[in-house]
Amino acid sequence: MAPSGRPRTECVMAKQYMEEWQQRKRMRTASPPLDDVQHHCLQEAFRRLNIPASSGMIRGFMQEVRQVQVNAKTPASGAMETLNELSKQYKLAIISNSPREEVFMLLSRFGLLSFFPEGHVFTASRSADKKPAQTLFKTALQVLRLPPRQAVMVGNSWKHDVVGAVKAGIDAVWLNGSAESGDGPDAKKFPARSSGNGTSI
């Protein structure tokens, strides 16, 4: 039986981790790899609670956290059918702010790996490269050998997916699952363009 104080300790540890994470975000200094930032924040949380933890233990802990997060997610209704139809005519790729390992865990769990070769999955190794920065969008275009006007970004985040894509010269489709029928913020700043007939992301 787990000690009665364990849930409280876990809550305190989670709080310490999030406090350290928010502090690192506010620092806005040079951006190390995201995995290194997470490792440091968790290590600091253990230190504050006077709990000895090796690097191996911390890596294992983070892998378990990601697995729990992955298991809690579900694919959108009709995702498999939609991707199957799109893949017949278009190149498909993923541009994500999530850790690369987590993206592949999700693809594997949902049975979607066949639609997205490893070279078609683009993730940030530095915080500064995460969407809505143009870095990942431009890298994807370069790797797929596509001009911006022959690509379309489909995403559920106005700030990260739509704004980031449009800044890189890519048309975007916003999957807004909320009940609101209005456009996203500052929508008038981005005039609509008709897509070309070329291959799309």
Side-chain angles (χ1 to χ4, degrees), residues 17-194:
Y17 173 82
M18 291 307 300
E19 287 180 354
E20 182 67 20
W21 179 262
Q22 292 300 325
Q23 182 177 346
R24 297 278 298 190
K25 287 176 64 177
R26 288 193 296 268
M27 288 171 63
R28 297 182 180 277
T29 55
S31 302
L34 297 179
D35 285 348
D36 290 352
V37 175
Q38 292 174 333
H39 186 282
H40 172 83
C41 291
L42 186 58
Q43 188 175 45
E44 183 63 18
F46 276 112
R47 187 191 67 78
R48 292 183 184 182
L49 294 173
N50 294 318
I51 300 176
S54 66
S55 295
M57 176 182 174
I58 291 176
R59 283 194 298 271
F61 186 91
M62 292 305 302
Q63 289 177 349
E64 289 189 18
V65 169
R66 287 176 183 167
Q67 188 63 60
V68 170
Q69 293 173 332
V70 168
N71 291 340
K73 295 180 179 180
T74 57
S77 177
M80 178 68 76
E81 295 78 6
T82 300
L83 290 172
N84 188 53
E85 288 301 314
L86 289 173
S87 65
K88 296 175 182 177
Q89 188 175 357
Y90 302 106
K91 293 180 181 179
L92 302 179
I94 291 177
I95 298 176
S96 176
N97 283 347
S98 297
R100 190 173 186 82
E101 179 184 358
E102 182 177 321
V103 173
F104 281 102
M105 289 172 67
L106 283 169
L107 290 175
S108 177
R109 178 169 177 253
F110 298 151
L112 303 177
L113 282 171
S114 61
F115 295 114
F116 302 99
E118 185 174 354
H120 287 196
V121 176
F122 304 93
T123 56
S125 59
R126 303 184 309 155
S127 295
D129 294 336
K130 294 175 70 173
K131 300 177 294 183
Q134 299 181 39
T135 306
L136 293 179
F137 295 101
K138 291 186 174 181
T139 299
L141 292 173
Q142 183 178 10
V143 171
L144 298 174
R145 298 181 180 181
L146 291 173
R149 294 187 66 86
Q150 289 187 354
V152 176
M153 175 70 184
V154 180
N156 62 355
S157 170
W158 176 267
K159 175 182 177 182
H160 298 121
D161 299 323
V162 177
V163 174
V166 172
K167 285 183 177 179
I170 301 172
D171 284 328
V173 175
W174 183 32
L175 298 180
N176 182 12
S178 69
E180 299 177 3
S181 59
D183 291 333
D186 300 325
K188 294 181 179 179
K189 293 183 179 179
F190 304 107
R193 300 199 317 262
S194 59

